[in-house]
Structure formats: structure tokens, C-alpha cells
Amino acid sequence: MNKRRTSLFFFILSMVFFYLPLLILVAYSFNEGRSSTWQGFSLKWYKELFLYSDNIWKAFKYSLIIGIISSTVSTLIGTLGAIGLHWYNFKHKKYLKVITFLPLVIPDIILGVSLLIMFATIKLELGLTSIFIAHTTFNIPFVLFIVLSRLGEFDYSIVEAAYDLGANEMQTLKKVILPMLTPAIVSGFLMSLTLSFDDFVTTFFVAGPGSSTLPLRIYSMIRLGVSPVVNALSVLLIVLSIALTLSTKSLQKYFVK
């Protein structure tokens, strides 16, 4: 009984620790004043966000475009790479696996600095293109890891049955392997989209003038103090995150069927 009470206590404590700051943020997004003192209920900061914050929506658009494109490319490369690493044997395969997963453990600041040096070496102008390359670079290993995990549980007898029925390698890939991997591919894409949309450190090093993403824009707004508009924007992002999570569960149920 004491163990249950202790577990319940730490569970409640963890929930308060995680969600109380979010509840405070939501509450103060409706505060009339700018200070942390409650001055009455108001929607003025949401009005300012939607009507008078063109810079925020421009940064949001950049984040969304880069996130979708980089996630699509990294999902394609990561999925095909995972299939190749799992099913094909070639020289130095184990070393390639280690190198592929290095971006998962390398600190973001190191990755950002190294990419900045590379772009300066090849004389690539910093901007949306450099951000896209950087986001694709750190997204690929995440997709690779997710798809490889799914392949580890894959029943290879299905592939052998497809070969026995006369399917060639490309037909087996398109009609057997990829449909079976769809839940992992969708998860990898959504993970990449979240990481890309949320990234600050790496983007900070490779972004050029006029190419600020949403995290960079928020950082520039709170350098001199938290703006209530940021509170309203944060609430909007929380709502979008919840909607994305719920839609992901629906998509996974659909694909599993």
C-alpha cells in the first residue's frame, strides 16, 4: 500500500512539474497586461498575433516549408538506407552503420558549427537552402533508426513468398516491403517534421539574413523579456501539437488496417 501511495505521489509530482508551466502560460496568454501580474481577461494578444505579427507568420511559413521538404527528403533517404543496411551485405557495413548514427549523439552546437564551416568552404550563401541541408542532415539518422527498428521485427518469409510468386526486386519493394513499413515511415516523417520545426541551435549557425525560422524569431522576441504575443503563439503551437498527435494515432490505425 505504501509503495502505491509513493508511486502515486511521484506520478502526481511529475505531472505537476510538466504541465503546470504550460497551464500558467495558457492563462497569461489571456492576460490584459504585459507583466506577470494578472490584470484581467483579454484576447488582445491573440488579436495582435493574427493581425499585426507579419514577421512571426513569415518565420512560421519558413519553418513549415523547410520542415515539410526536409522531412520528405530525409524520410525517402532514411527509408531506402535502412532497407539497404538491413537486407544487403557489403564491405564495411558495420562501420557505415556507426557513421550513420553519429549525428544522433553529436551535440547540436558541434553539428551547427561543422555545417557552417562546410558551407563557408564551398562558398554556399547562408539562407533557406543551407537550413534545408542542415535539417535534412540531422533528420536522416532518426528516420533510419525508426525504420531499422521496424525491419528488425519484419517477417522475411513474406518477401520470400513474393519472390516465389514471381515478383522481382522492385515489385517486392513497392508492393510488399514499403506497405509493411508504412507505420514506421509515417512515424519517421512526423519525427523529422517535429525536430525540424523545433530546431534552434543548428539553425542559428546556418541561417542567413532574412531567413529566420520560428524558433529564431521567438528567440529574438524574448531577448529583452517575454512578450505576451509569444504566450499566445505558444498556446497555438500547443493546440497544433495536440491535433497532430491525435491525427497521428488515427493515421497509424488506418495504416495498420
Side-chain angles (χ1 to χ4, degrees):
M1 189 68 178
N2 290 333
K3 290 184 178 180
R4 290 184 179 179
R5 289 180 178 178
T6 303
S7 299
L8 180 61
F9 170 77
F10 281 107
F11 172 76
I12 295 174
L13 186 64
S14 299
M15 293 299 101
V16 171
F17 179 79
F18 283 123
Y19 292 107
L20 183 59
L22 295 179
L23 294 176
I24 294 175
L25 182 145
V26 172
Y28 276 100
S29 70
F30 297 101
N31 188 16
E32 174 72 23
R34 286 181 170 271
S35 66
S36 58
T37 303
W38 182 260
Q39 299 180 13
F41 182 86
S42 175
L43 295 174
K44 63 184 292 186
W45 305 118
Y46 287 91
K47 181 180 179 180
E48 183 173 339
L49 172 64
F50 285 104
L51 299 180
Y52 309 111
S53 301
D54 293 339
N55 289 334
I56 292 179
W57 292 112
K58 182 180 179 180
F60 181 87
K61 181 182 71 173
Y62 285 160
S63 290
L64 192 62
I65 293 174
I66 293 172
I68 292 175
I69 298 176
S70 65
S71 299
T72 301
V73 174
S74 59
T75 300
L76 177 62
I77 297 174
T79 300
L80 295 179
I83 294 172
L85 285 174
H86 183 77
W87 264 309
Y88 296 99
N89 293 317
F90 48 87
K91 191 177 181 181
H92 304 311
K93 176 180 177 179
K94 61 179 181 179
Y95 299 110
L96 182 59
K97 278 188 176 182
V98 173
I99 294 173
T100 304
F101 288 122
L102 274 179
L104 292 175
V105 296
I106 293 177
D108 290 344
I109 189 171
I110 301 299
L111 182 61
V113 171
S114 61
L115 286 169
L116 176 60
I117 294 173
M118 185 192 75
F119 294 147
T121 302
I122 64 177
K123 301 186 186 307
L124 177 67
E125 184 178 357
L126 298 182
L128 295 181
T129 302
S130 60
I131 297 175
F132 159 73
I133 295 173
H135 286 204
T136 303
T137 299
F138 66 68
N139 277 334
I140 289 175
F142 287 95
V143 178
L144 196 70
F145 180 79
I146 293 173
V147 177
L148 276 175
S149 299
R150 173 66 174 170
L151 285 170
E153 304 173 354
F154 200 88
D155 186 3
Y156 192 73
S157 62
I158 300 176
V159 177
E160 293 177 339
Y163 286 145
D164 292 339
L165 292 173
N168 57 35
E169 191 170 2
M170 184 58 66
Q171 290 173 331
T172 304
L173 175 65
K174 291 167 54 178
K175 297 185 178 181
V176 178
I177 298 175
L178 290 181
M180 293 291 291
L181 293 178
T182 298
I185 294 172
V186 173
S187 298
F189 174 82
L190 293 175
M191 172 69 78
S192 300
L193 183 61
T194 302
L195 292 171
S196 175
F197 200 87
D198 185 59
D199 183 74
F200 171 79
V201 177
T202 304
T203 308
F204 180 81
F205 286 96
V206 300
S211 60
S212 294
T213 58
L214 189 58
L216 296 182
R217 175 59 59 185
I218 292 175
Y219 172 74
S220 66
M221 293 175 64
I222 65 174
R223 290 175 66 182
L224 301 177
V226 178
S227 170
V229 178
V230 174
N231 295 339
L233 176 63
S234 300
V235 173
L236 178 63
L237 293 177
I238 291 172
V239 173
L240 290 176
S241 299
I242 294 173
L244 182 61
T245 301
L246 296 176
S247 63
T248 300
K249 290 184 177 181
S250 301
L251 283 173
Q252 287 180 340
K253 290 180 180 179
Y254 172 78
F255 285 121
V256 168
K257 291 180 180 180

